[in-house]
Amino acid sequence: MVLLPHGYPCSSYEFREFMPALADRWRLIAPDFPGCGYSDTPQDFAYDFDGYTDFLDRFTERLDVRGFAMYLHDFGSQIGLRLAIRRPERIAALIIQNGDIYEDALGPKYEPLKEFWRNPTPKGRAQLAEAVTEDGFKDEYLNDVRDELAERIPPDLWKLHWSLMTPQRRDIAVGVIAGLKENLAWFPKYQAYLHEHRPPTLIVWGPQDGYMPEGSARAYLRDLPDAELHLLDGGHWALETNLDEIVALARGFLGRVHNSDR
């Protein structure tokens, strides 16, 4: 089985082409986190990394999923790794794609956030909210990819996900972005988990990413020296621009380390 926790500002929709390409051999499960995609937005849910991890843990328990690989992308990488720390015996393998856990390797697009973390004023939080707009979503998806690659990224991504936003969800998104500072304290814990458990790992990375450039990918080799690393001609949303490459690499990797469950 392969568990696919999604990134921001997205939902399980990001895996819409990846899942059928592997479904002949593996069971793939991609939930929408609460407040994302077509999930509900309950009032009593903790919309932070611990809350999302609790949700993912309960979700796998409800489905009686005992062993699985994970595809880790964007903030789904950190949620997935928190689950791995909590349930290390269940993790069969990892596929990591543009998910950051090394503070010293963060890209230049993090600079406005770092400024807010240094000086978390109401004015700074209001500036964060300016990114939670349709244009802000578009910028998140196009990021730093070259123009000819940007043409492969469908506007459906930002138009669909912006259409699903509500005032409540917008406030949640701003809170999650502001809370990324607290998540930095977990980076050494994620690294320690990888260093100790050394799960079989495939790293597929789009280095045209202002948040997570090539150095963010190579940093994983500090704790996973045996990981298989592939730098693609793409960016943060590489499943849109490099799907066939990632499918081929994932099939080969999972075929070696995680038996078919179909």
Side-chain angles (χ1 to χ4, degrees), residues 99-117:
D100 52 329
I101 65 165
Y102 294 89
E103 186 174 358
D104 65 309
L106 297 178
K109 276 186 174 285
Y110 267 104
E111 288 306 318
L113 268 176
K114 290 179 180 179
E115 177 59 34
F116 174 75
W117 296 337

Side-chain angles (χ1 to χ4, degrees), residues 22-258:
L22 276 71
D24 61 318
R25 287 196 61 187
W26 294 274
R27 182 187 183 198
L28 296 99
I29 300 177
D32 287 347
F33 288 118
C36 300
Y38 292 107
S39 282
D40 288 340
T41 311
Q43 296 286 346
D44 58 350
F45 184 80
Y47 292 97
D48 55 25
F49 287 92
D50 283 338
Y52 293 128
T53 303
D54 290 343
F55 163 80
L56 205 57
D57 195 11
R58 294 194 305 271
F59 180 81
T60 54
E61 284 282 342
R62 180 67 62 88
L63 295 179
D64 195 29
V65 175
R66 297 297 169 181
F68 48 88
M70 281 196 290
Y71 189 111
L72 302 180
H73 174 240
D74 196 80
F75 84 162
S77 62
Q78 295 142 10
I79 297 165
L81 285 172
R82 290 195 188 204
L83 179 62
I85 291 168
R86 188 181 297 186
R87 310 287 186 188
E89 73 283 356
R90 297 187 182 180
I91 308 305
L94 300 176
I95 300 173
I96 303 174
Q97 189 251 299
N98 293 74
D100 52 329
I101 65 165
Y102 294 89
E103 186 174 358
D104 65 309
L106 297 178
K109 276 186 174 285
Y110 267 104
E111 288 306 318
L113 268 176
K114 290 179 180 179
E115 177 59 34
F116 174 75
W117 296 337
R118 288 189 291 265
N119 186 28
T121 63
K123 180 180 178 181
R125 189 180 177 95
Q127 289 173 338
L128 293 183
E130 292 174 6
V132 188
T133 61
E134 184 174 347
D135 284 342
F137 279 17
K138 180 179 179 179
D139 183 67
E140 290 286 335
Y141 285 111
L142 298 183
N143 202 315
D144 280 1
V145 296
R146 299 193 314 275
D147 289 345
E148 66 271 23
L149 292 176
E151 292 177 358
R152 302 184 198 173
I153 300 176
D156 300 22
L157 281 164
W158 58 86
K159 291 186 176 295
L160 168 64
H161 290 96
W162 179 247
S163 74
L164 295 171
M165 292 296 284
T166 63
Q168 180 190 6
R169 287 186 169 196
R170 192 166 184 259
D171 288 343
I172 289 167
V174 174
V176 171
I177 294 169
L180 287 173
K181 180 180 180 180
E182 285 67 39
N183 188 50
L184 290 178
W186 276 79
F187 279 18
K189 299 178 185 180
Y190 305 145
Q191 297 160 22
Y193 161 78
L194 296 175
H195 188 81
E196 177 183 354
H197 293 278
R198 301 286 178 92
T201 301
L202 169 68
I203 304 170
V204 286
W205 206 275
Q208 297 170 45
D209 185 342
Y211 292 104
M212 305 163 208
E214 179 177 332
S216 299
R218 294 194 180 278
Y220 276 95
L221 299 179
R222 303 172 191 172
D223 298 300
L224 295 170
D226 298 324
E228 184 180 334
L229 170 63
H230 296 267
L231 297 173
L232 310 174
D233 184 20
H236 191 79
W237 299 90
L239 284 176
E240 302 299 328
T241 57
N242 304 80
L243 176 68
D244 291 345
E245 292 173 85
I246 294 176
V247 165
L249 290 167
R251 288 185 67 91
F253 170 72
L254 291 172
R256 293 190 299 274
V257 304
H258 188 43

